[in-house]
Amino acid sequence: MQLGIIGLGRMGGNIARRLMLKGHETVVYDRNADFVATLSQEGSTGVADLPALVAGLTAPRAVWVMLPAGAPTEDTIAELGKLLQPGDVIIDGGNTYYKDDIRRGQELAQQGIHYIDVGTSGGVWGLERGYCMMIGGDAEVVRRLDPLFDALAPGLGNIPRTRDRSPAADDRAERGYIHAGPPGSGHFVKMIHNGIEYGMMQAFAEGFDILKTKNAESLPADQRFDLNLGDIAEVWRRGSVVSSWLLDLTADALATDPKLDNYSGAVADSGEGRWTIEAAIEQAVPVPVLSSSLFARFRSRQQSTYGDKLLSAMRFGFGGHVETPKK
Amino acid sequence: MQLGIIGLGRMGGNIARRLMLKGHETVVYDRNADFVATLSQEGSTGVADLPALVAGLTAPRAVWVMLPAGAPTEDTIAELGKLLQPGDVIIDGGNTYYKDDIRRGQELAQQGIHYIDVGTSGGVWGLERGYCMMIGGDAEVVRRLDPLFDALAPGLGNIPRTRDRSPAADDRAERGYIHAGPPGSGHFVKMIHNGIEYGMMQAFAEGFDILKTKNAESLPADQRFDLNLGDIAEVWRRGSVVSSWLLDLTADALATDPKLDNYSGAVADSGEGRWTIEAAIEQAVPVPVLSSSLFARFRSRQQSTYGDKLLSAMRFGFGGHVETPKK
Amino acid sequence: MQLGIIGLGRMGGNIARRLMLKGHETVVYDRNADFVATLSQEGSTGVADLPALVAGLTAPRAVWVMLPAGAPTEDTIAELGKLLQPGDVIIDGGNTYYKDDIRRGQELAQQGIHYIDVGTSGGVWGLERGYCMMIGGDAEVVRRLDPLFDALAPGLGNIPRTRDRSPAADDRAERGYIHAGPPGSGHFVKMIHNGIEYGMMQAFAEGFDILKTKNAESLPADQRFDLNLGDIAEVWRRGSVVSSWLLDLTADALATDPKLDNYSGAVADSGEGRWTIEAAIEQAVPVPVLSSSLFARFRSRQQSTYGDKLLSAMRFGFGGHVETPKK
Amino acid sequence: MQLGIIGLGRMGGNIARRLMLKGHETVVYDRNADFVATLSQEGSTGVADLPALVAGLTAPRAVWVMLPAGAPTEDTIAELGKLLQPGDVIIDGGNTYYKDDIRRGQELAQQGIHYIDVGTSGGVWGLERGYCMMIGGDAEVVRRLDPLFDALAPGLGNIPRTRDRSPAADDRAERGYIHAGPPGSGHFVKMIHNGIEYGMMQAFAEGFDILKTKNAESLPADQRFDLNLGDIAEVWRRGSVVSSWLLDLTADALATDPKLDNYSGAVADSGEGRWTIEAAIEQAVPVPVLSSSLFARFRSRQQSTYGDKLLSAMRFGFGGHVETPKK
């Protein structure tokens, strides 16, 4: 099957590669001509601009936009909307806010152009492991593109099948992708995935922080342990309730750098984590863990907060307490 | 009435002073002879050791121990237990863990000595405003000491009476002290007071942090305000729902140092805040606000946490993300 | 001074009354003619529609809109925008989202109409105590309306002045209102006020929950107290660190109904609490207490959550645990 | 190798079975004679009381106590302490509080008896998958018992080795058990494991709650999706960042009962979750996620809280708000 791909960074380039490995044809564009040249050498048809990309595809066309969320994606899709024809499909594989997907889906539908949003997890590992995809859009259009999604997905692999899963259930989920619903639903499900990811990560972070602190030299000798955090991560990978890919990555990290001295402790956050909390608030769902995880990242990037200083000021006010400086 | 006082620091010294102002007699001891000398000049009977203190009081004696919680208080009470007679009273006015009170109450009861625990709020302001006291111990013993508690308490003052409060209700609460129950209950109620105090302080801290951040130069000009935080604290003191003594202190602090540059942002915590969470867990009460307030203080004293570094390590593992250093 | 008022519910009606008490003139409208009639009898000039209201005011006019946030306010302001003239002022005294204020301010400025947003705390008590007001809009327009704001505000009253507050500081804050900044800033500050209010309320809620639970008959007798929660609230009103208006209200409530049997435990939340979290997320401010307070309200309105059921399902999965039903 | 086992419930019985499968010899006791009889038929040597158990083992003896934490374990170990000889080993495989282990280790060391604490994850699945074990005790004693631990552990299995793990690292971790340190450290590490487990579970619970709520009929049609939660759990198992055993269990549960109608929503908690928070507080580690997870379980077991009622009472006090009843 044929796919146009716009944006040949780490994600877009590997999507093209994985599709070609499975025998599909790709027509590719990036504003960086070097990226286009590289992919062309690997078998893609490289083009120099969006009109050329559209011209290089057979109708009904499918174009995968793999760009940073926000203006780059928005502008590209607007331009594609002018170049494409009824029946063509635009796929947004980036990290778009799901309400933008809903709006775009409605706008493009007026021109007869289909809009598909694909939330993707497992990014940098996708070429090797396959991409776990959550897809929003018209059911029949998603079906039409099935060969592409199937090629990109991890497939059944050696992961045991879920006990009691009905034979009548949609088998695409087992192969690593789902049709979640109308435009926006793919990125919505991916957003929640990331919210959960934040929570799981913070759970590990807090747990390992207690383990690490139990080794602290500041503790009295009879209360202190000398725990090997790398061994703990390793043993939990085998048969424990917390076994998970994030634990595997933790074991990797601790095997190389047990003190984690390579990291500053300032942790970035992305749109999905924030939007998850907004969705929860909109739907009146209590999410103490997901929000705490986001706030821990906000806090991690600051030396001190104005709020903390105000606490000290109040303590001085009512008790004459003078705080000792930060360790 | 006569009271022995052990420990003449800021709290103990002012308790002696307030009692003398109201015509009571004090026999005082501190291991620092200068403190004893000072109080003697102000009218107390100063003594050189515990036996002298006991000898200087008329039975049934009442001795107020006003020392740091833990060993200083524990040891002093143990020694007093050997010196006092049945019918005498030991009062612990410090910040003792309520389970220690319960134990001590039981131990001393075997010798016929009464044990009273007094949780006190409003410390450094007490000489001027009076002490808000929560008292645990035998009802009749607390009644016997009523003249002392009444002298120390703030009294009705100009605080409006609570609408609908029953005329049959214990009027000691309106005068600024309560008999909470058996030994331990005074410090238990004071502990919860401090837990609530942490939560209220953190609520102000977070709110003012958002206000402050809304002035940040890093914001685009059309999203930025130039809020005057001192004026905001001031206006909320008049008629708003958040009017409170902590807000008064906030207004004080912001009037002197609007940027709070005098504070490092490292905030101490005390036993009461921690014990409140332990009590909540023991009683299976969800306390997200009280615990978050404690954790914010823990976090405030660290430059970065091992947990945060682990988050970065995982992010590098699954996404190749390299964190930018801390601001 | 003359003011048009639209919306004569509890808030709008009392604003008219308080203004008249201080000698100001009011021209009033409500779609409910009975409300108009009542105010007319009390001295207002009642009118039958918006054009009549505009006609009844002398230019430059000032019109206070006191309606539910959202469509009622939005539509009324849109209609006023068509009826008023350059130099006139529209005041939104409701609970509008501050970003809507910013937009409206910009739209009306194009017609030369001024827009003022007033966040008000102390609602139902305002007639008696005065309204604490946070005002956004052009500085000179706010100055022009000063007689109105001064009349509505609580004034200095018997609240002690803040120590160290500079004599050069804006004295309006001490009289109970502030000019916070441009349009939107008034409601922004009021929004944060409510966020803090949520946090303080939840701090009291959690603290009293622990106190209440410590009386539970399910506890072993030697761990149980028999705390009088009404007395505790009462005593904390005098000299304690947590003294506050919310504590006064708590003491009121417990004096009438110590078991709080009149309340179902389902707690509503309003826009301001939610928008506070959104602002914090937008500004990357960690707000664990403010968010926990909002989530506690979300949770309070549900019998059980799907999430809780999923916890049980996982526990059954890994441990064969069968949960006992809810108490 | 030979092992005495006390307590033949689900855990103890399967430990005996797995050991026998690997060729080890077991001498077993339970106060329920039927359990002893069953195991005897499967190849164990059943005995009628503790003295018989001790008599049936060759010195140096090893006895595994697999009983409920608290009194049953405490009393049994006390009795064993009287029956065993210097050089013998007592292994506590239950869910003991690690500070109790430290105390017992010290007490038994005075008699020359070794004490080993084993925290075990993966309980009901252990016979099939093997037990993930975290072991505290003297290094050489743990080494001596290595054949037993090796037999019980899952082994390398088909779980990929951790990249970069040093060949010099302790290979027991890869085989599914670790020697964590001195007595108490095994249960300490297991306790933290459970704390993390709570956090991960709550992250999934909150995420799926948002997904579920996005399907709610109360939402306007254009904001509602019709998400298939079972398919979402299924697809995340393949290549997503949140893939984990807990997700596998979630997929299992949703395959059988997508609405989770079989669960009441009341969720139990155990000692480990609570002790984790206490350890964090003792070590001043901020653990917002682990504590929120515990509090969500506390909350899940209550219809309403006194705290929530107090919120309503305050809202009525300052705003005249009357809450609508619970859904």
Side-chain angles (χ1 to χ4, degrees):
Chain A
M1 205 170 174
Q2 192 192 45
L3 181 70
I5 301 177
I6 298 170
L8 303 174
R10 193 167 50 184
M11 285 291 292
N14 282 345
I15 283 173
R17 286 181 187 97
R18 191 167 169 101
L19 286 174
M20 288 190 286
L21 278 172
K22 306 284 181 100
H24 296 287
E25 182 192 345
T26 57
V27 181
V28 303
Y29 168 71
D30 192 290
R31 62 179 188 177
N32 182 329
D34 291 348
F35 287 13
V36 177
T38 303
L39 258 294
S40 295
Q41 286 173 337
E42 300 183 34
S44 292
T45 305
V47 296
D49 54 24
L50 294 195
L53 183 114
V54 170
L57 294 166
T58 313
R61 298 169 190 83
V63 182
W64 186 297
V65 181
M66 196 72 245
L67 294 170
T73 297
E74 190 71 31
D75 296 348
T76 301
I77 288 174
E79 194 177 343
L80 278 177
K82 293 175 193 149
L83 297 169
L84 293 174
Q85 295 174 338
D88 290 349
V89 187
I90 296 175
I91 302 160
D92 179 1
N95 294 317
T96 292
Y97 184 40
Y98 77 98
K99 292 189 178 178
D100 288 329
D101 293 313
I102 295 174
R103 172 181 48 76
R104 286 183 202 153
Q106 288 166 347
E107 287 167 2
L108 291 166
Q110 291 170 355
Q111 302 167 243
I113 299 175
H114 302 290
Y115 181 81
I116 301 277
D117 56 294
V118 180
T120 307
S121 181
V124 296
W125 295 79
L127 179 57
E128 179 188 330
R129 305 198 335 169
Y131 298 92
C132 173
M133 290 170 292
M134 298 135 258
I135 306 166
D138 292 344
E140 61 197 312
V141 180
V142 176
R143 280 279 175 212
R144 192 212 295 171
L145 301 174
D146 197 69
L148 298 174
F149 294 128
D150 188 62
L152 290 172
L156 255 176
N158 57 4
I159 293 169
R161 297 185 99 140
T162 292
R163 207 186 39 185
D164 296 333
R165 186 166 164 89
S166 163
D170 190 335
D171 74 327
R172 291 177 291 186
E174 287 193 325
R175 286 185 279 125
Y177 61 107
I178 56 168
H179 174 231
S185 62
H187 279 135
F188 185 86
V189 174
K190 172 56 169 39
M191 174 185 83
I192 301 301
H193 165 278
N194 283 33
I196 294 171
E197 172 193 305
Y198 276 44
M200 292 172 70
M201 289 173 72
Q202 183 66 20
F204 279 118
E206 294 179 6
F208 276 90
D209 209 347
I210 308 176
L211 293 172
K212 177 72 175 178
T213 313
K214 192 65 181 172
N215 290 350
E217 293 186 8
S218 56
L219 283 180
D222 64 345
Q223 292 177 27
R224 193 193 315 154
F225 290 139
D226 183 26
L227 304 168
N228 183 319
L229 274 55
D231 281 359
I232 291 172
E234 188 63 40
V235 78
W236 286 348
R237 297 180 64 223
R238 287 179 173 76
S240 94
V241 174
V242 303
S243 58
S244 55
W245 193 42
L246 286 166
L247 179 63
D248 295 347
L249 296 172
T250 297
D252 277 353
L254 294 174
T256 343
D257 177 13
K259 296 192 172 172
L260 301 175
D261 286 333
N262 293 332
Y263 301 95
S264 72
V267 190
D269 72 280
S270 62
E272 285 90 349
R274 300 182 179 205
W275 301 329
T276 297
I277 310 305
E278 287 182 13
I281 290 178
E282 202 174 307
Q283 300 170 212
V285 178
V287 288
V289 157
L290 306 191
S291 58
S292 295
S293 303
L294 180 64
F295 297 150
R297 295 192 180 190
F298 288 171
R299 183 63 188 81
S300 78
R301 303 197 297 262
Q302 298 180 274
Q303 292 289 3
S304 64
T305 73
Y306 188 77
D308 290 340
K309 293 179 179 182
L310 184 57
L311 293 180
S312 292
M314 285 189 261
R315 294 185 81 238
F316 180 75
F318 66 69
H321 304 290
V322 177
E323 308 284 4
T324 51
K326 205 167 269 238
K327 282 182 282 198
Chain B
M1 206 171 176
Q2 193 192 42
L3 181 70
I5 301 177
I6 298 170
L8 303 174
R10 193 167 49 185
M11 285 290 293
N14 283 345
I15 282 173
R17 286 181 187 98
R18 191 166 168 102
L19 285 175
M20 289 189 287
L21 278 172
K22 306 283 181 101
H24 296 286
E25 182 192 344
T26 57
V27 182
V28 303
Y29 168 70
D30 193 291
R31 63 179 189 177
N32 183 329
D34 291 347
F35 287 14
V36 177
T38 303
L39 259 293
S40 296
Q41 287 174 335
E42 300 183 35
S44 292
T45 305
V47 296
D49 54 24
L50 294 195
L53 184 113
V54 170
L57 294 167
T58 312
R61 300 170 189 83
V63 183
W64 186 297
V65 181
M66 195 74 245
L67 294 170
T73 296
E74 190 71 31
D75 296 348
T76 301
I77 289 175
E79 194 177 343
L80 279 177
K82 291 175 196 151
L83 298 169
L84 293 174
Q85 296 174 333
D88 290 346
V89 187
I90 297 175
I91 302 160
D92 178 2
N95 294 316
T96 291
Y97 183 41
Y98 77 99
K99 292 188 178 179
D100 288 329
D101 294 312
I102 295 174
R103 172 181 48 76
R104 286 183 201 152
Q106 289 165 346
E107 288 167 1
L108 291 165
Q110 290 171 355
Q111 304 168 242
I113 299 174
H114 302 288
Y115 181 82
I116 302 276
D117 56 294
V118 180
T120 307
S121 181
V124 296
W125 295 80
L127 179 57
E128 179 187 331
R129 306 199 334 167
Y131 299 91
C132 173
M133 289 170 293
M134 298 135 257
I135 306 166
D138 290 345
E140 61 198 312
V141 180
V142 175
R143 281 278 174 210
R144 192 211 297 171
L145 301 174
D146 196 70
L148 298 174
F149 294 128
D150 188 61
L152 290 172
L156 254 176
N158 57 3
I159 293 170
R161 297 185 99 140
T162 292
R163 207 185 38 185
D164 298 331
R165 186 167 164 89
S166 164
D170 190 335
D171 74 327
R172 291 177 290 184
E174 286 194 326
R175 286 186 279 124
Y177 61 106
I178 56 168
H179 174 232
S185 62
H187 279 136
F188 185 87
V189 174
K190 171 57 168 40
M191 174 186 83
I192 301 300
H193 165 278
N194 283 34
I196 294 172
E197 171 193 306
Y198 276 44
M200 292 173 70
M201 289 174 72
Q202 183 66 19
F204 279 117
E206 294 179 6
F208 276 90
D209 209 348
I210 308 176
L211 293 172
K212 176 73 176 178
T213 314
K214 191 65 181 172
N215 291 349
E217 292 186 7
S218 56
L219 284 180
D222 64 344
Q223 292 178 26
R224 194 194 314 153
F225 290 139
D226 183 25
L227 303 169
N228 183 318
L229 273 57
D231 282 358
I232 291 172
E234 189 62 41
V235 78
W236 286 349
R237 296 180 65 224
R238 287 179 173 76
S240 94
V241 174
V242 302
S243 59
S244 55
W245 192 42
L246 286 166
L247 179 63
D248 295 346
L249 296 172
T250 297
D252 277 353
L254 294 174
T256 343
D257 177 13
K259 296 192 173 172
L260 301 176
D261 286 333
N262 293 331
Y263 301 95
S264 73
V267 190
D269 71 280
S270 62
E272 285 90 349
R274 300 182 179 205
W275 300 329
T276 297
I277 310 306
E278 286 182 14
I281 290 177
E282 203 174 305
Q283 300 170 211
V285 178
V287 289
V289 157
L290 305 191
S291 58
S292 294
S293 304
L294 180 64
F295 297 150
R297 296 193 180 189
F298 289 171
R299 183 62 187 81
S300 79
R301 303 197 297 264
Q302 298 181 275
Q303 293 290 2
S304 65
T305 73
Y306 188 76
D308 290 339
K309 293 179 179 183
L310 184 58
L311 293 180
S312 292
M314 284 189 260
R315 294 186 79 238
F316 180 75
F318 66 70
H321 304 290
V322 177
E323 308 284 4
T324 51
K326 203 167 272 236
K327 282 183 284 199
Chain C
M1 206 168 173
Q2 193 193 45
L3 181 70
I5 302 176
I6 299 169
L8 303 174
R10 193 167 49 182
M11 285 290 292
N14 283 345
I15 283 174
R17 287 181 187 97
R18 192 168 168 100
L19 286 175
M20 288 189 288
L21 278 173
K22 306 284 181 102
H24 296 288
E25 182 192 344
T26 57
V27 181
V28 302
Y29 168 70
D30 193 289
R31 62 179 189 179
N32 182 329
D34 290 347
F35 288 12
V36 177
T38 302
L39 259 293
S40 296
Q41 288 173 337
E42 300 184 34
S44 292
T45 304
V47 295
D49 55 24
L50 294 195
L53 184 114
V54 170
L57 294 166
T58 313
R61 298 169 189 83
V63 182
W64 186 296
V65 180
M66 196 72 244
L67 294 170
T73 296
E74 190 71 32
D75 296 348
T76 300
I77 288 175
E79 193 177 343
L80 278 177
K82 290 175 196 151
L83 297 169
L84 293 174
Q85 295 174 336
D88 290 348
V89 187
I90 296 175
I91 302 160
D92 179 2
N95 294 317
T96 292
Y97 184 42
Y98 78 99
K99 292 188 178 178
D100 288 329
D101 293 313
I102 295 174
R103 172 181 49 75
R104 286 183 201 152
Q106 289 166 346
E107 288 167 2
L108 290 166
Q110 291 171 355
Q111 301 168 244
I113 299 175
H114 303 289
Y115 181 81
I116 301 277
D117 55 294
V118 180
T120 307
S121 180
V124 294
W125 295 80
L127 180 56
E128 178 187 332
R129 305 198 335 167
Y131 298 92
C132 173
M133 289 170 292
M134 298 136 258
I135 306 166
D138 290 346
E140 60 198 312
V141 179
V142 175
R143 281 278 174 213
R144 193 212 295 172
L145 301 174
D146 197 70
L148 298 174
F149 293 128
D150 188 62
L152 290 171
L156 255 176
N158 57 3
I159 293 170
R161 297 185 98 140
T162 292
R163 207 185 40 184
D164 297 333
R165 185 166 165 89
S166 163
D170 190 335
D171 74 327
R172 292 177 290 186
E174 287 193 326
R175 287 186 277 124
Y177 62 106
I178 56 168
H179 174 231
S185 63
H187 279 136
F188 185 87
V189 174
K190 171 55 168 41
M191 173 186 84
I192 301 300
H193 165 278
N194 283 33
I196 294 172
E197 171 193 305
Y198 276 44
M200 292 173 70
M201 289 173 71
Q202 183 66 20
F204 279 117
E206 294 179 7
F208 276 90
D209 209 348
I210 308 176
L211 293 172
K212 176 72 175 178
T213 314
K214 191 66 180 171
N215 291 350
E217 292 186 8
S218 55
L219 284 180
D222 64 345
Q223 292 177 28
R224 193 193 315 153
F225 290 140
D226 184 24
L227 304 168
N228 182 319
L229 274 56
D231 282 358
I232 291 172
E234 189 62 41
V235 78
W236 286 348
R237 296 181 65 223
R238 288 179 172 77
S240 95
V241 174
V242 303
S243 59
S244 55
W245 192 43
L246 286 165
L247 179 63
D248 296 345
L249 297 172
T250 297
D252 278 352
L254 294 176
T256 345
D257 177 12
K259 296 192 172 173
L260 300 176
D261 286 333
N262 293 332
Y263 302 94
S264 72
V267 191
D269 72 280
S270 63
E272 285 91 348
R274 300 182 178 205
W275 300 329
T276 296
I277 310 306
E278 287 182 13
I281 290 178
E282 202 175 306
Q283 300 170 210
V285 178
V287 289
V289 158
L290 306 191
S291 57
S292 294
S293 304
L294 180 64
F295 297 150
R297 295 193 181 188
F298 288 171
R299 183 62 187 83
S300 79
R301 303 197 297 263
Q302 297 181 274
Q303 293 289 2
S304 64
T305 73
Y306 188 76
D308 290 339
K309 293 179 179 183
L310 184 57
L311 294 179
S312 292
M314 284 189 261
R315 294 186 81 238
F316 180 75
F318 67 69
H321 304 290
V322 176
E323 308 284 4
T324 51
K326 202 167 272 235
K327 281 183 284 198
Chain D
M1 208 170 174
Q2 192 192 45
L3 181 71
I5 301 176
I6 298 170
L8 303 175
R10 193 167 50 184
M11 285 290 292
N14 283 344
I15 283 173
R17 286 181 188 97
R18 191 166 168 102
L19 286 174
M20 289 190 286
L21 278 172
K22 305 284 181 100
H24 296 287
E25 182 191 345
T26 57
V27 181
V28 302
Y29 168 70
D30 193 289
R31 62 180 188 177
N32 183 328
D34 291 347
F35 288 13
V36 177
T38 303
L39 259 293
S40 295
Q41 288 173 336
E42 300 184 35
S44 292
T45 304
V47 295
D49 54 25
L50 294 195
L53 184 113
V54 171
L57 295 166
T58 313
R61 298 169 191 82
V63 182
W64 186 297
V65 181
M66 195 73 244
L67 294 170
T73 297
E74 190 71 32
D75 296 347
T76 301
I77 288 174
E79 194 177 344
L80 278 176
K82 292 175 194 150
L83 298 169
L84 294 173
Q85 296 174 334
D88 290 347
V89 187
I90 296 175
I91 302 161
D92 178 1
N95 294 317
T96 292
Y97 184 40
Y98 78 98
K99 292 188 179 180
D100 288 330
D101 293 313
I102 295 174
R103 173 182 48 76
R104 286 183 202 153
Q106 289 167 347
E107 287 166 3
L108 291 166
Q110 291 171 355
Q111 303 167 241
I113 299 175
H114 303 289
Y115 181 81
I116 301 277
D117 55 294
V118 180
T120 307
S121 180
V124 295
W125 295 79
L127 179 57
E128 179 187 331
R129 304 197 337 166
Y131 299 91
C132 173
M133 290 170 292
M134 297 135 258
I135 306 166
D138 290 345
E140 61 198 313
V141 180
V142 176
R143 281 279 174 212
R144 192 212 295 172
L145 301 174
D146 197 69
L148 298 174
F149 294 128
D150 188 62
L152 290 172
L156 255 176
N158 57 4
I159 293 169
R161 298 185 98 140
T162 292
R163 206 185 41 186
D164 298 331
R165 186 166 166 89
S166 162
D170 190 334
D171 74 327
R172 291 177 291 185
E174 287 193 325
R175 287 186 278 124
Y177 60 107
I178 56 168
H179 174 232
S185 63
H187 279 136
F188 185 87
V189 174
K190 171 56 169 38
M191 174 186 83
I192 301 299
H193 166 279
N194 283 33
I196 295 172
E197 173 194 305
Y198 276 45
M200 292 172 70
M201 288 173 73
Q202 183 66 19
F204 279 118
E206 295 179 7
F208 277 90
D209 209 348
I210 308 175
L211 293 172
K212 177 71 175 179
T213 313
K214 191 66 180 172
N215 291 350
E217 291 187 8
S218 55
L219 284 180
D222 64 345
Q223 291 177 29
R224 193 193 315 153
F225 289 139
D226 183 26
L227 303 169
N228 183 319
L229 273 57
D231 282 359
I232 291 172
E234 188 62 41
V235 77
W236 286 349
R237 297 180 65 223
R238 287 179 172 77
S240 95
V241 174
V242 302
S243 60
S244 54
W245 192 42
L246 286 165
L247 179 64
D248 295 346
L249 296 172
T250 298
D252 277 352
L254 294 175
T256 345
D257 178 11
K259 297 193 172 172
L260 301 175
D261 286 333
N262 293 332
Y263 301 95
S264 72
V267 190
D269 72 280
S270 63
E272 285 90 348
R274 300 182 179 205
W275 300 328
T276 296
I277 310 305
E278 287 182 13
I281 290 178
E282 202 175 307
Q283 300 171 211
V285 177
V287 289
V289 158
L290 305 192
S291 58
S292 295
S293 304
L294 180 64
F295 297 150
R297 295 194 180 189
F298 288 171
R299 183 62 187 84
S300 78
R301 303 197 296 263
Q302 298 180 275
Q303 292 290 1
S304 64
T305 73
Y306 189 75
D308 290 339
K309 293 179 179 182
L310 184 57
L311 294 179
S312 292
M314 285 189 260
R315 294 186 79 238
F316 180 74
F318 66 69
H321 304 291
V322 177
E323 309 283 4
T324 51
K326 204 167 271 235
K327 282 183 283 198

